[in-house]
Amino acid sequence: MAAIRFSNVFKRYASGQDALLGVDFELASGEMAFLTGHSGAGKSTLLKLIMLMERPSRGQVWVGQQDLSSLHRSQIPYLRRQIGVVFQNHQLLFDRSVFENVALPLQISGYDPADAARRARAALDKVGLLTREKHNPVTLSTGEQQRVGIARAIVHKPKLLLADEPTGNLDPQLSEDIMRLFGQFNSIGTTVLIASHDLSLINRMRHRMLTLKHGRLVADG
Ligand SMILES: Nc1ncnc2c1ncn2[C@@H]1O[C@H](COP(=O)(O)OP(=O)(O)OP(=O)(O)O)[C@@H](O)[C@H]1O
Ligand SMILES: [Mg+2]
């Protein structure tokens, strides 16, 4: 089954700017792929369509069995609960501890506090930061902060993990560690799609690569 399917997807912003032009692809459930291309190629736009942060101007996007164009507004939170998202600027709360940053999304979606705490610690353990749970994120290095962002993205065990330039600020070694972490989530069945323009890193990872150029998918392999 496809985890993500784009069928002839166009996106033109209200400004008149075309961001995606006739994009077609499928990502199978359990697959891991990179999305690459020059700045402005449409990578972030493509990810935003999957999360329904934006809507296509034409064409259709499916997440699992769900055609997003027929998804009612009230169902968007349900869609988002199936997706974990990692941003370049991880958007951590600096007035909360590492633990609270990871547990908060679960508390907001109504998890029992003890269950939320257990899951948050399991997620922090996966990214190797359990010993830092009481610290303020301000006291962590950039790479550690990025890992807290990843723990937060996977704490609800999403079937689909999206990342937008997750290694943008990191040195090559840390970038590779972060990518290995994504590979581990993928190896336990999570579908992973990572937007990145770091070609040397992507090439070392030997995964499928989707390349956008001025809004068109020009390569897939
Ligand atoms: N909210 C918006 N309103 C108008 N135009 C936008 C908006 N967001 C993006 N664009 C335009 O759409 C095109 C694709 O942008 P997008 O952010 O998807 O590219 P990207 O591949 O993620 O680039 P980068 O590598 O710089 O992050 C660009 O021309 C951009 O200027
Ligand atoms: Mg972008």
Side-chain angles (χ1 to χ4, degrees):
M1 196 190 78
I4 301 173
R5 183 144 72 93
F6 274 57
S7 175
N8 202 28
V9 171
F10 289 74
K11 174 63 184 177
R12 174 176 290 176
Y13 284 104
S15 63
Q17 178 67 47
D18 283 315
L20 294 175
L21 295 163
V23 172
D24 272 305
F25 75 94
E26 261 188 47
L27 192 65
S29 186
E31 201 175 352
M32 173 158 162
F34 288 98
L35 181 63
T36 191
H38 61 87
S39 178
K43 305 181 293 296
S44 298
T45 300
L46 190 152
L47 295 182
K48 284 175 182 166
L49 294 179
I50 298 168
M51 290 179 268
L52 274 184
M53 287 168 68
E54 294 287 350
R55 295 256 185 192
S57 315
R58 242 173 84 192
Q60 276 157 320
V61 178
W62 278 265
V63 173
Q65 309 275 52
Q66 184 71 57
D67 171 359
L68 299 191
S69 64
S70 67
L71 199 69
H72 189 265
R73 267 192 167 283
S74 64
Q75 293 171 293
I76 294 178
Y78 174 74
L79 170 82
R80 296 212 176 123
R81 277 203 282 279
Q82 302 174 55
I83 304 176
V85 186
V86 181
F87 295 99
Q88 177 176 347
N89 55 345
H90 43 64
Q91 300 168 328
L92 299 180
L93 305 168
F94 288 124
D95 58 344
R96 310 267 184 154
S97 69
V98 163
F99 170 80
E100 287 168 322
N101 267 277
V102 178
L104 208 59
L106 297 180
Q107 287 161 358
I108 290 169
S109 20
Y111 279 73
D112 163 70
D115 191 26
R118 189 180 53 75
R119 286 168 189 261
R121 295 207 168 91
L124 281 169
D125 193 29
K126 285 207 186 83
V127 300
L129 285 176
L130 193 51
T131 58
R132 313 298 287 275
E133 62 166 312
K134 295 194 173 65
H135 294 217
N136 187 293
V138 142
T139 67
L140 304 185
S141 72
T142 315
E144 288 166 343
Q145 290 179 9
Q146 190 61 307
R147 273 148 59 203
V148 177
I150 293 171
R152 189 182 49 185
I154 54 105
V155 71
H156 59 301
K157 297 208 169 86
K159 286 185 282 190
L160 176 59
L161 184 59
L162 306 176
D164 198 354
E165 302 289 353
T167 61
N169 297 318
L170 305 179
D171 68 40
Q173 181 56 54
L174 276 173
S175 299
E176 211 162 316
D177 292 348
I178 298 280
M179 288 303 179
R180 202 167 301 124
L181 204 50
F182 285 120
Q184 282 167 18
F185 295 127
N186 176 244
S187 68
I188 56 167
T190 311
T191 309
V192 181
L193 181 61
I194 303 170
S196 170
H197 54 236
D198 188 346
L199 279 177
S200 62
L201 181 63
I202 294 172
N203 286 332
R204 266 176 283 148
M205 298 288 297
R206 298 165 184 279
H207 283 285
R208 180 177 170 195
M209 179 160 79
L210 300 159
T211 308
L212 286 168
K213 190 173 177 187
H214 300 297
R216 292 179 204 278
L217 199 57
V218 293
D220 179 359

